[in-house]
């Protein structure tokens, strides 16, 4: 009798708990993920809109001056067709990697390799995503996405000679890898492999290498994401679902026809897992590097609600967003860019938002990034900061980034992140506290990862990657402690 009387009470408690969870989850906004982060500077964020336009140029069938541009943003791509040194299509890559172009940007002293995102009608892109499973591929002391790493090896096999020639011809130019979505993950893998093998590109200095990953997939374990934050930068627009989705990519695209259902179930599951347990899972993948979060909406603070002005562009460039288009809010605040190298709270929760898929589109990342950059530049012009003080401020920001990276590495060790390493005081960082080379951070331990340069002069990049691994007694792929000559 007493048990029967207690059942209604238990049901009420259970319903209240579920209602509280649903209320908190529905009110969780993308802006909360970066609420404690600092503001990005115009100097740091300046390359982002330009990189977005280079990625978008991959979608054009013809970039010649006489050809009409089908998807160009206002003002065009800013691309000189004569400086597009190489352009690879699906026919050229045979499905090994998404289409990409190699651009020589004289105006910004930059050599850029830009990769496009996922093509939903190409089976080869799905095969690339499905070439993975949880914990399948170890790399440099962590875990990475196997298919994306192999795609990066194919690109370097194809373009290594040209990249080396360009870097030797233009010793003051930087080497930048950029991409969107699937291409962003490949760009991050490219950067990691190049940084570990700088001698194969003519003894390239680490400070000349960088990556801008737009709306990246989770492609590397947390220790690697933090370790390479000095050279890899991820850009996320507000509520974008992909950097927040810890579900393996192969599971996402197996369920692409019911993606909203999958996101909701994953959201419910992740809520029940303590964050410290997530951090201690060495196979869990994360968005790579330093993160720039573009915030343009605030919860329950829309100035007005109108019909969706995104509709025309969405239907033209991103047909898979049609179902989401009718529910997109267009009342927006001026975009603000937050940046940090987070360890815990690194986009761990999916945002239940009608913009979760729309914010993944490269056209909106480029547009909002350009708006945010214009606002930063207008603010600097309004303050009338002298050029000398502006340069000093930029140098100070670079030193702050170095210290922030160090603090993130130390925090990763404090939180017992698997395979995280504290920066050594004996040469891993510059003695001048990053003033001469502010981007130079942890150097890889060559003895534990790659063979000496003389033994791999004729080795392909994929062969080089394969030589890093061995199989243990259980048949699992593990990192070799040493590589035979």
């Amino acid at each position: 009798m007493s048990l029967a009387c207690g059942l209604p009470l238990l049901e009420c408690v259970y319903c209240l708990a579920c209602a509280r969870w649903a209320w908190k989850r529905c009110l969780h906004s993308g802006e909360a993920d970066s609420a404690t982060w600092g503001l990005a500077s115009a100097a740091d964020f300046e390359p982002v809109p330009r990189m977005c336009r280079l990625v978008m140029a991959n979608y054009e069938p013809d970039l010649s001056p006489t050809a009409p541009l089908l998807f160009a943003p206002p003002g065009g791509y800013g691309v000189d067709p004569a400086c597009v040194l190489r352009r690879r299509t699906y026919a050229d890559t045979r499905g090994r990697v998404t289409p990409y172009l190699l651009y020589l940007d004289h105006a910004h002293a930059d050599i850029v390799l830009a990769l496009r995102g996922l093509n939903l009608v190409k089976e080869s892109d799905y095969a690339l995503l499905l070439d993975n499973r949880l914990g399948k591929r170890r790399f440099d002391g962590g875990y990475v996405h196997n298919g994306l790493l192999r795609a990066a090896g194919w690109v370097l096999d194809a373009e290594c000679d040209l990249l080396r020639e360009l870097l030797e011809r233009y010793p003051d130019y930087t080497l930048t890898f950029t991409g969107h979505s699937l291409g962003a993950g490949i760009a991050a893998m490219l950067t990691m492999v190049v940084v570990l093998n700088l001698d194969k590109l003519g003894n390239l200095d680490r400070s000349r290498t960088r990556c801008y990953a737009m709306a990246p997939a989770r492609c590397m374990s947390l220790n690697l994401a933090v370790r390479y934050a000095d050279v890899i930068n991820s850009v996320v627009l507000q509520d974008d679902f992909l950097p927040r989705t810890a579900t393996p990519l192969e599971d996402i695209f197996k369920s692409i026809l019911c993606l909203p259902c999958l996101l909701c179930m994953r959201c419910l599951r992740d809520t029940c897992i303590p964050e410290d347990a997530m951090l201690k899972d060495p196979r869990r993948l994360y968005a790579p590097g330093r993160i720039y979060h573009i915030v343009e909406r605030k919860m329950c603070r829309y100035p007005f609600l109108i019909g969706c002005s995104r509709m025309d562009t969405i239907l033209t460039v991103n047909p898979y967003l049609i179902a989401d288009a009718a529910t997109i809010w267009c009342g927006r605040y001026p975009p603000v860019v937050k940046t940090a190298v987070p360890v815990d709270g690194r986009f761990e929760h999916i945002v239940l938002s009608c913009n979760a898929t729309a914010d993944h589109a490269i056209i909106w990342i480029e547009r909002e990034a350009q708006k945010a950059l214009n606002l930063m530049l207008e603010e600097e012009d309004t303050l009338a900061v002298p050029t000398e003080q502006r340069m000093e401020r930029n140098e100070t920001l670079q030193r702050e980034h170095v210290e922030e990276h160090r603090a993130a590495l130390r925090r990763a060790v404090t939180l017992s992140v698997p395979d995280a390493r504290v920066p050594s005081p004996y040469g891993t960082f510059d003695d001048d506290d990053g003033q001469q080379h502010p981007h130079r951070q942890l150097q890889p331990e060559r003895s534990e990862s790659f063979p000496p340069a003389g033994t791999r002069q004729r080795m392909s990049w994929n062969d080089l990657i394969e030589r890093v691994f061995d199989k243990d007694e259980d048949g699992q792929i593990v990192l070799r402690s040493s590589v035979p000559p």
Side-chain angles (χ1 to χ4, degrees), residues 294-360:
I294 305 173
V295 179
E296 56 166 350
R297 296 182 299 274
K298 298 182 180 180
M299 187 65 181
C300 300
R301 296 181 188 176
Y302 293 100
F304 53 88
L305 302 176
I306 60 176
C308 180
S309 62
R310 289 187 178 183
M311 178 68 73
D312 293 340
T313 312
I314 286 176
L315 295 182
T316 303
V317 182
N318 296 280
Y320 60 93
L321 296 180
I322 293 176
D324 212 32
T327 56
I328 296 176
W329 301 115
C330 296
R332 292 168 181 272
Y333 281 79
V336 175
V337 182
K338 302 288 193 73
T339 184
V341 185
V343 181
D344 48 338
R346 194 181 182 91
F347 289 142
E348 285 297 336
H349 299 292
I350 295 173
V351 178
L352 300 179
S353 165
C354 57
N355 294 289
T357 53
D359 285 346
H360 187 66

Side-chain angles (χ1 to χ4, degrees), residues 63-65 78-86 102-106 166 169-170:
L63 289 172
S64 61
V79 172
D80 181 2
C83 293
V84 179
L85 304 183
R86 186 160 293 174
L102 185 60
Y103 184 67
L104 185 59
D105 190 349
H106 292 292
L166 291 172
R169 186 186 305 174
Y170 303 101

Side-chain angles (χ1 to χ4, degrees), residues 54-70:
L54 283 173
V55 172
M56 293 171 66
N58 279 291
Y59 291 84
E60 294 288 346
D62 190 355
L63 289 172
S64 61
T66 58
L69 299 179
L70 303 180

